[in-house]
Amino acid sequence: MPNMSSIKAEQQSAPMGGTGSYQLPVNMCTSSSATTTTTTPSRHNVSVTNIKCELEELPTPNGNLVPVIANYNHGSLRIPLSGQPHNQQDQEESDSEAELTNIENLKVRRRAADKNGPRPMSWEGELSEPEENGVSAGSGGAELMETETVIKSEVCATSTPIQAASTTCPTMQPIKTELDNIAGELQHPRSNAYPVSSCNGPAKLKLAPTQSDPINLKYEPPLGDNNSPLLTTRNKSNSGGHLPLPANPSPDSAIHSVYTHSSPSQSPLTSRHAPYTPSLSRNNSDASHSSCYSYSSEFSPTHSPIQARHAPPAGSMYPGSGSAGGNGAGSSYGNGVHHHGMLYRPLKVEASSTGGSVGGGGSCSQESAQNLSMDSASSAMDPLGSGSLPASPAGISRQQLINSPCPICGDKISGFHYGIFSCESCKGFFKRTVQNRKNYVCVRGGPCQVSISTRKKCPACRFEKCLQKGMKLEAIREDRTRGGRSTYQCSYTLPNSMLSPLLSPDQAAAAAAAASSVNHQHQHQHQHQQHHQHQQQRLQQQMNGYSGSTSLPASPSLGGASIKTEENDAKTLRASSIPTLLQEIMDVEHLWQYTDAELARINQPLSAFATGGSSSSSSSSSVASTAPHQNHQQQQQQQHQQQQLTNPLLASAGLSSNGENANPDLIAHLCNVADHRLYKIVKWCKSLPLFKNISIDDQICLLINSWCELLLFSCCFRSIDTPGEIKMSQGRKITLSQAKTNGLQTCIERMLNLTDHLRRLRVDRYEYVAMKVIVLLQSDTTELHEAVKVRECQEKALQGLQAYTLAHYPDTPSKFGELLLRIPDLQRTCQLGKEMLTIKTRDGADFNLLMELLRGEH
DNA sequence: CTAGCCTTGAAG
DNA sequence: CTTCAAGGCTAG
């Protein structure tokens, strides 16, 4: 397995000139920032703390220190280096004292982090920091803008998830730190991000108690009222019971990002780098899967957010960055997981009610929404029409577009860059930011105006706007190859504003350029409508021809017996009868699913594990069996692994390895995979229409209480079309007889039973997603701060499901009730699964986050 | 760090 | 050969 030295070597090998080619997008980093520290109770539970936490306490889920450290060395690239504390401080002298002080403190910490190790940052996290320091972002005033701090390379990014896992697993640190971060952690790659060592910074770093203790698993965080370590942590951090995480007023708060996930947009970089990490790009695999963004090109040829042009040899991705040995691209970031939480939320609607629109001018939220629709529309256009834009809805010619102002800053458009027509400066800015994985944090925490004159003032908001306007992370080539045509999906995407049929191209562009657009709302509405229509069409397709991994036996179309009119009419009716809420939930469902590319990446690491970290193995599937070094212990290991592999929880998470691996690290790998699964869940949660409006504290609480149910339920749903078998990932299945050999028959049996019910009820995808939300929103836990609110949200979901079932399955009015009756079964099954998993892991196996979650179980 | 200009190189 | 989008270089 990869060890420190190997990591370092890789890092060193990485081309430094690029400084950062390896760096992850800011977003990713952000995620990490989410983690928080306990120290400053900020007003509102502000997140500022979060940032600290990450550095200080967050032990990586994996517990590996090494990866982190390694990252520092190289990952920091410039930042860390430049990070010399003193220098940076000097730069900020101009700020007001108070603010400056705060900022400087922040920087100091950052430097420390850099110096000691990269500190995982997330946009959100960063934003929060200032707040933490007491700086009132809002009051800060424009001056602060100048002082924006950029957190550059993140450690996380560079670290290899897998590596970390493998190397550090033994030293797992209990994540006990908080669940607060859970969100962040889950979503973000926290793992690497939390450099244990880095914490030394002046900033009082709080090391996780377990840092030094390799056996973190055993570590029991002091429990407060909550038994859950995560919860406990959270509480600790907030004196007063405030939520530590979210505190950010800004939508981008660390917490926000944490859960958010950058949603659809996983960090492109991430994905490329890290097998587990969600990609930053909007088009990331998730998005592509769902095809939410585009009509025409449902699946982008390039799932990888980051464009890997010339099929990078394994491990060549981001040269130097770290691909851990052979794992190739993803390895480096991975692990962590998930780290990268991309900030960017692709689709995501800003959850935060704060209005936090980040991008320009205050209309960000709207804009982002527009983007979505825009993307869809744009995708429809044909890519690269030589010279002429693919038919833009408005019939805008390429020339016209080029003559329009840059949608980001209003400058002159120089061409089509990274998915949109933009000026040279924004192109360069986007490239630098992504390639160097810079984490910019808006000191003001809000959307700053981005214009030609102000674009240099707030890189954070500028970058946010780049994303909002459609720049694609995947367009940044991970291998940095030059020339040639880009192959990422939707080569030509018109700026949102330009697509608006309500405005002429120029007007639209101008409007876009001007952050203050008054017309945005109208545009947005209009676009939203269009987008919605497309979604409906797409949904219809899904419903009628749904067959995904979880092929639905009973699609609404089938069930809609009452609708016997012409097919098209029927489709229309069905589509129109889908409650908005359900539709919204469905729209983020892609965040839940893994793409083939992701699965491939996730499994890649196994190769390394199987071969002792060697890069020789090319595919996870074939790996283990050929490992030459298998020794006598292998048998035992294999048995253990087999158990792990067949564990219902892991299986339900879609995690499974081929099982051939004898390497003990496989377990760690599986744990990481599980972490990733959870990470995706968090992303999904954060984007849910109802969930995102719940306080972070409660979000965490709900997630802790339902993660297992969610995983098992999805697994069962996925197995609907395979009676007698529970589908694991990648087509692998477990039958009851197989389960018996592992002592898992009880759990598998229940899962099969549940699956039978789902099959009998002909549960369709809409019902499935609605039920997941209902399960997630179980408010029967005493730990909720706003139980009533959660209850209300759940009721909405229930109403949506009920309305849906009645509309689509009028012949079976009891369906709604029957569906709900499955929930208790699901919960019991989960309890069993958890117990089994816990037992299975008592022998020391590390389960990282998963274990943390388990330990947090009450 | 920014941004303008240059170099690449796949696609047409 | 021409396009043109992506990366690289470098003065400011």
Side-chain angles (χ1 to χ4, degrees):
Chain A
M1 57 193 266
N3 54 32
M4 293 283 296
S5 62
S6 65
I7 294 171
K8 287 181 180 178
E10 289 179 354
Q11 290 176 341
Q12 290 176 350
S13 66
M16 292 300 292
T19 59
S21 46
Y22 314 98
Q23 296 176 341
L24 294 179
V26 174
N27 296 336
M28 301 179 68
C29 298
T30 309
S31 58
S32 59
S33 61
T35 56
T36 59
T37 52
T38 57
T39 40
T40 35
S42 51
R43 55 178 184 173
H44 304 302
N45 309 327
V46 176
S47 51
V48 173
T49 14
N50 295 338
I51 293 172
K52 283 184 175 181
C53 288
E54 294 180 325
L55 296 178
E56 301 172 356
E57 297 184 342
L58 287 182
T60 61
N62 295 329
N64 273 341
L65 295 178
V66 175
V68 172
I69 293 170
N71 291 335
Y72 281 99
N73 295 340
H74 109 312
S76 328
L77 298 178
R78 296 177 180 178
I79 296 170
L81 298 178
S82 62
Q84 301 170 358
H86 305 295
N87 294 338
Q88 289 180 351
Q89 287 177 350
D90 294 345
Q91 295 175 352
E92 309 193 345
E93 293 174 354
S94 64
D95 295 11
S96 63
E97 291 183 356
E99 293 174 346
L100 178 61
T101 300
N102 293 331
I103 292 169
E104 289 182 347
N105 288 338
L106 174 68
K107 290 183 178 179
V108 170
R109 272 184 283 175
R110 179 179 58 191
R111 292 175 210 143
D114 290 344
K115 190 174 180 179
N116 296 325
R119 109 181 178 193
M121 309 181 93
S122 62
W123 289 50
E124 298 170 1
E126 303 211 345
L127 287 175
S128 61
E129 280 190 349
E131 292 176 355
E132 183 179 353
N133 292 328
V135 172
S136 62
S139 64
E143 350 166 23
L144 292 179
M145 291 179 65
E146 300 278 0
T147 65
E148 288 196 345
T149 58
V150 174
I151 294 169
K152 295 180 173 185
S153 58
E154 296 266 326
V155 176
C156 323
T158 59
S159 65
T160 322
I162 293 171
Q163 291 176 341
S166 64
T167 57
T168 59
C169 291
T171 62
M172 277 184 66
Q173 293 176 341
I175 296 170
K176 67 181 206 142
T177 55
E178 42 297 290
L179 263 195
D180 297 351
N181 299 326
I182 205 179
E185 294 182 351
L186 288 177
Q187 293 185 349
H188 301 286
R190 56 191 166 178
S191 52
N192 304 339
Y194 314 114
V196 175
S197 62
S198 63
C199 306
N200 36 356
K204 359 21 204 304
L205 300 178
K206 239 176 130 165
L207 293 181
T210 60
Q211 273 187 341
S212 58
D213 177 0
I215 304 172
N216 295 329
L217 290 177
K218 306 197 169 169
Y219 165 76
E220 287 297 329
L223 296 179
D225 297 343
N226 298 322
N227 291 331
S228 166
L230 295 177
L231 291 176
T232 299
T233 309
R234 180 180 45 177
N235 293 339
K236 289 196 302 183
S237 62
N238 293 325
S239 54
H242 289 283
L243 297 179
L245 299 178
N248 279 338
S250 161
D252 290 341
S253 65
I255 294 174
H256 178 79
S257 62
V258 171
Y259 291 102
T260 327
H261 196 293
S262 331
S263 49
S265 45
Q266 295 179 336
S267 84
L269 293 180
T270 313
S271 60
R272 295 180 181 178
H273 303 288
Y276 304 126
T277 348
S279 67
L280 295 177
S281 74
R282 304 178 170 194
N283 294 333
N284 70 21
S285 53
D286 288 298
S288 61
H289 270 313
S290 63
S291 71
C292 289
Y293 302 106
S294 64
Y295 322 130
S296 62
S297 54
E298 333 279 60
F299 302 148
S300 115
T302 58
H303 284 251
S304 165
I306 293 178
Q307 182 179 19
R309 306 192 55 187
H310 310 286
S316 65
M317 307 232 164
Y318 281 91
S321 73
S323 48
N327 295 333
S331 61
S332 39
Y333 296 93
N335 154 40
V337 170
H338 339 294
H339 332 274
H340 313 357
M342 282 210 57
L343 308 178
Y344 323 143
R345 3 164 200 216
L347 283 182
K348 104 192 226 173
V349 183
E350 269 321 276
S352 66
S353 52
T354 60
S357 42
V358 176
S363 56
C364 296
S365 299
Q366 296 174 358
E367 290 180 358
S368 63
Q370 291 177 357
N371 287 335
L372 292 177
S373 60
M374 296 295 291
D375 287 348
S376 318
S378 64
S379 61
M381 301 185 291
D382 70 95
L384 298 182
S386 53
S388 61
L389 276 182
S392 65
I396 303 169
S397 69
R398 185 173 193 284
Q399 190 55 49
Q400 283 180 301
L401 287 169
I402 289 181
N403 291 331
S404 300
C406 171
I408 297 163
C409 68
D411 200 348
K412 184 180 185 302
I413 284 176
S414 66
F416 189 73
H417 308 297
Y418 311 120
I420 67 171
F421 282 92
S422 69
C423 65
E424 195 68 18
S425 65
C426 287
K427 164 201 165 189
F429 169 76
F430 186 76
K431 180 184 70 175
R432 289 192 302 274
T433 301
V434 176
Q435 287 186 329
N436 298 329
R437 282 194 283 137
K438 294 177 179 173
N439 287 316
Y440 292 112
V441 175
C442 176
V443 175
R444 302 202 308 176
C448 300
Q449 181 180 47
V450 179
S451 64
I452 294 177
S453 61
T454 63
R455 65 191 181 191
K456 289 182 180 179
K457 295 187 175 182
C458 184
C461 291
R462 186 184 188 184
F463 186 62
E464 180 69 19
K465 193 169 184 181
C466 285
L467 294 171
Q468 291 181 340
K469 292 300 178 184
M471 279 196 170
K472 296 173 167 47
L473 293 167
E474 64 268 37
I476 300 294
R477 297 169 183 171
E478 61 182 310
D479 58 2
R480 295 199 168 195
T481 55
R482 299 162 69 180
R485 296 278 183 179
S486 295
T487 58
Y488 61 89
Q489 179 180 13
C490 306
S491 298
Y492 271 172
T493 299
L494 294 175
N496 298 334
S497 60
M498 292 180 178
L499 293 178
S500 172
L502 298 178
L503 299 174
S504 67
D506 288 345
Q507 290 176 323
S516 64
S517 63
V518 175
N519 296 320
H520 274 159
Q521 273 196 320
H522 296 300
Q523 294 177 38
H524 174 61
Q525 291 175 352
H526 182 89
Q527 292 173 356
H528 183 70
Q529 290 179 341
Q530 289 189 327
H531 179 58
H532 194 67
Q533 290 178 347
H534 291 299
Q535 288 180 328
Q536 287 191 330
Q537 292 176 353
R538 205 179 51 219
L539 290 174
Q540 289 175 7
Q541 292 179 344
Q542 291 179 338
M543 293 177 72
N544 293 324
Y546 176 76
S547 67
S549 57
T550 60
S551 62
L552 274 185
S555 66
S557 62
L558 294 175
S562 64
I563 301 172
K564 310 252 179 199
T565 58
E566 186 176 330
E567 190 173 325
N568 290 334
D569 290 340
K571 290 179 181 178
T572 301
L573 287 173
R574 279 193 292 275
S576 63
S577 63
I578 296 171
T580 301
L581 178 60
L582 255 61
Q583 187 56 64
E584 291 176 351
I585 292 171
M586 180 61 81
D587 289 344
V588 300
E589 178 61 16
H590 64 282
L591 295 175
W592 173 281
Q593 305 170 329
Y594 274 110
T595 62
D596 291 341
E598 286 179 313
L599 290 173
R601 288 192 210 101
I602 290 171
N603 286 325
Q604 270 191 323
L606 290 175
S607 306
F609 286 109
T611 59
S614 69
S615 60
S616 62
S617 63
S618 59
S619 70
S620 62
S621 64
S622 63
V623 181
S625 59
T626 61
H629 356 334
Q630 294 182 353
N631 51 42
H632 44 291
Q633 295 180 350
Q634 291 181 343
Q635 285 190 331
Q636 288 183 323
Q637 293 176 347
Q638 286 182 345
Q639 288 182 337
H640 179 82
Q641 290 172 10
Q642 188 58 41
Q643 290 179 327
Q644 296 297 340
L645 292 174
T646 56
N647 182 284
L649 288 183
L650 293 178
S652 65
L655 313 172
S656 68
S657 68
N658 295 324
E660 306 86 347
N661 285 320
N663 190 313
D665 288 326
L666 171 61
I667 293 172
H669 168 67
L670 290 176
C671 292
N672 286 330
V673 174
D675 283 358
H676 191 257
R677 173 68 267 185
L678 294 173
Y679 172 61
K680 291 206 70 160
I681 292 176
V682 174
K683 284 171 50 180
W684 168 75
C685 287
K686 291 195 72 173
S687 298
L688 286 174
L690 295 173
F691 194 76
K692 64 188 181 185
N693 294 325
I694 294 172
S695 71
I696 300 301
D697 249 4
D698 285 350
Q699 284 184 13
I700 294 169
C701 184
L702 291 171
L703 193 53
I704 290 172
N705 283 306
S706 65
W707 65 273
C708 186
E709 282 80 0
L710 294 172
L711 292 178
L712 280 189
F713 186 59
S714 68
C715 186
C716 289
F717 181 71
R718 181 165 62 220
S719 306
I720 280 181
D721 58 353
T722 56
E725 296 178 326
I726 291 299
K727 271 188 182 175
M728 296 174 73
S729 65
Q730 301 183 345
R732 282 184 286 277
K733 304 164 186 175
I734 296 178
T735 62
L736 185 58
S737 60
Q738 292 174 325
K740 286 179 180 176
T741 64
N742 297 312
L744 302 174
Q745 73 275 16
T746 305
C747 187
I748 294 296
E749 188 170 11
R750 282 177 170 275
M751 289 177 73
L752 287 170
N753 183 268
L754 175 58
T755 302
D756 289 341
H757 278 295
L758 298 180
R759 186 182 305 109
R760 173 179 61 80
L761 293 170
R762 299 169 70 91
V763 177
D764 69 35
R765 193 164 179 71
Y766 280 92
E767 292 163 337
Y768 158 69
V769 298
M771 285 184 70
K772 281 199 299 180
V773 173
I774 291 168
V775 167
L776 173 65
L777 296 174
Q778 283 292 349
S779 58
D780 52 355
T781 168
T782 59
E783 296 168 0
L784 293 173
H785 291 18
E786 300 178 307
V788 174
K789 185 174 182 180
V790 172
R791 162 69 68 185
E792 291 174 350
C793 289
Q794 189 189 42
E795 287 178 356
K796 289 177 183 174
L798 288 167
Q799 290 169 3
L801 175 59
Q802 184 173 33
Y804 176 85
T805 56
L806 291 175
H808 294 266
Y809 304 96
D811 292 346
T812 54
S814 64
K815 189 173 187 182
F816 174 64
E818 291 212 59
L819 290 174
L820 298 185
L821 287 174
R822 295 303 108 207
I823 294 178
D825 263 355
L826 175 63
Q827 294 173 328
R828 283 192 291 273
T829 303
C830 283
Q831 195 54 47
L832 268 177
K834 288 174 184 173
E835 291 171 1
M836 298 172 79
L837 183 56
T838 300
I839 292 171
K840 298 288 181 193
T841 61
R842 283 221 175 119
D843 56 354
D846 293 342
F847 269 80
N848 303 329
L849 177 60
L850 182 56
M851 285 304 297
E852 288 296 326
L853 290 171
L854 288 171
R855 291 193 301 158
E857 288 297 323
H858 307 312

